[in-house]
Amino acid sequence: SSDLTLELCSNSQTVYGVEANMHMTCTNTSVSLIKSALEKAKDQGVQNILALRGDLPSGTVEFDPSIGEFRYATDLVKYIRSAYGSHFCISVAGYPEGCQGPNDVEQDIEYLKAKQDAGADIVVTQLFYDVDNFLAWVARCRAAGVTMPILPGIMPIQNYGGFKRMTDLCRIKVPQEIWDRLEPIKDDDQAVKDYGIEVAVEMIRKMRAGGVLGFHFYTINLERSTSRVLEKLGFVPAVSDVRPLPWSPSLSEKRAGENVRPIFWRNHARSYIKRTELWDEFPNGRWGDARSPAYGDLLHGVQVRLTSDQALRKWGRPESVRDIKDLFVQYCHGSLDALPWSDSPLQPESEPIRTRLALINAQGFLTINSQPSCNGAASADDIHGWGPPNGFVYKKAYLEFFVAPDSMHALLKRLSAEPTITYYAVSKSGELLTNCPEDSPNAVTWGVFPGKEILQPTIVERVSFLAWKDEAFDFWNAWSNVYEPASASAELLTAISDEWYLVNIVENNFQK
């Protein structure tokens, strides 16, 4: 569990560029284990810790000093602050309705003050639905000397049964008005969800009027309601905040300033970060020589992010190239939401070329990456935009696909007659064909912004393409492993991997 928590937080920051607040429990845990976890968190660039006591081990009711050296969350806060100084921002739990019930409220406030004195920075509260009680509790905390920012815990209601179980489990008082509104719609999940959004919006508006400036959402892996709450409140950030680059910048300290990446790993940022983690420097402003330092090896092969049963339900048992083409066409049309090379649907920017992509795949050019051209879209544009405000972004049309040898040679002959098109084509064994006269990188995305140099965050480059092709071909093998080794499906996928070519094409005339 602790390793998974660290992995999730690390991926959140390094792959997706999203700040993580790592939850850490301490009851009956040794100092050595806590220190090890904190050291790993620090190494991964995690700087936020939610320090919790946690539940006692099953079958025990008291703290056991022979098992662990931390009894309360306050002990954990003290240790973190003494051992790591100001490196970590420490948040702690607060309970507007008492940890165990209303009779505990005053004592819980005393505990909260002790956590603050031990070095805590921020309070995140248990979920609640009684705003008046929360605001009164905040006033009591302030009167007791608690000066830390207090973030109220908001959990939008998702369905009636889950709401009732959660509020019973957490001993949460729910205003009668909410129960009355839920009763006639309790069997209609969508109506309950819509009402839950309405409740959360009204709660936040009332708390903002009472001086509350920050909020903590419990999404329980159902983020859509939270997104709608934020939209209704006008809390959705500007494009420049969400997308400073076309890809999510890593928050890893090592990669600070990195602003150039090859386009090939567009759907596989985690792999790119893993294969470049030993680099001492990362491209900033321009792409250097990818041969030094080299990409790390693909140690364990790629994996299809579906179980065998899920893959069979989604992709069936293809036994011919036509079957494979049909799956790629379905993906382009949106009737299939994933392929081995992409575990999510086409990105919104591909909408204008969706139909053309489907036609290309129907002809046997199996696309795994693409972008349409863009000639000076505003940096605030919802689809193409990225970067600082009042700028303009540009893109060259890019297409990457697998193709059979006979079709490939005919295609390259035709492409060679087009003066503005450049291409790379490579087999699994490494045979490379190209019309690029040199190895220098080709910028396929760039932006022009007031008071800044031109940014070129996405490039096509030979050495990087040859490193990526190992992964791209390996997805055919990973897909074939879903089936029995001697089956027609497995043999078909293996044959495509062994015989076909991976091709990328850039139309350098971005005004087309």
Side-chain angles (χ1 to χ4, degrees), residues 2 33 53 71 77 107 122 135 155 169 197 204 228 278 286 293-294 309 314 376 385 425 432 442 454 484 495:
S2 60
L33 286 176
R53 171 189 157 178
R71 184 167 190 171
V77 174
Q107 187 176 57
I122 300 173
L135 293 174
M155 190 179 83
L169 176 67
I197 292 167
I204 291 171
R228 289 181 60 193
L278 296 181
R286 63 178 295 276
D309 288 342
K314 196 175 291 287
L432 180 68
N442 182 1
I454 292 175
E484 296 79 11

Side-chain angles (χ1 to χ4, degrees), residues 295-339:
Y295 286 95
D297 292 333
L298 187 63
L299 295 178
H300 305 294
V302 301
Q303 293 181 335
V304 173
R305 295 185 185 178
L306 297 172
T307 66
S308 294
D309 288 342
Q310 290 172 330
L312 287 170
R313 287 196 298 270
K314 196 175 291 287
W315 303 323
R317 296 180 177 275
E319 296 185 355
S320 67
V321 171
R322 175 178 289 276
D323 292 340
I324 300 291
K325 289 192 293 187
D326 287 345
L327 290 173
F328 277 76
V329 170
Q330 290 173 39
Y331 177 77
C332 291
H333 283 311
S335 54
L336 187 63
D337 62 2
L339 288 170

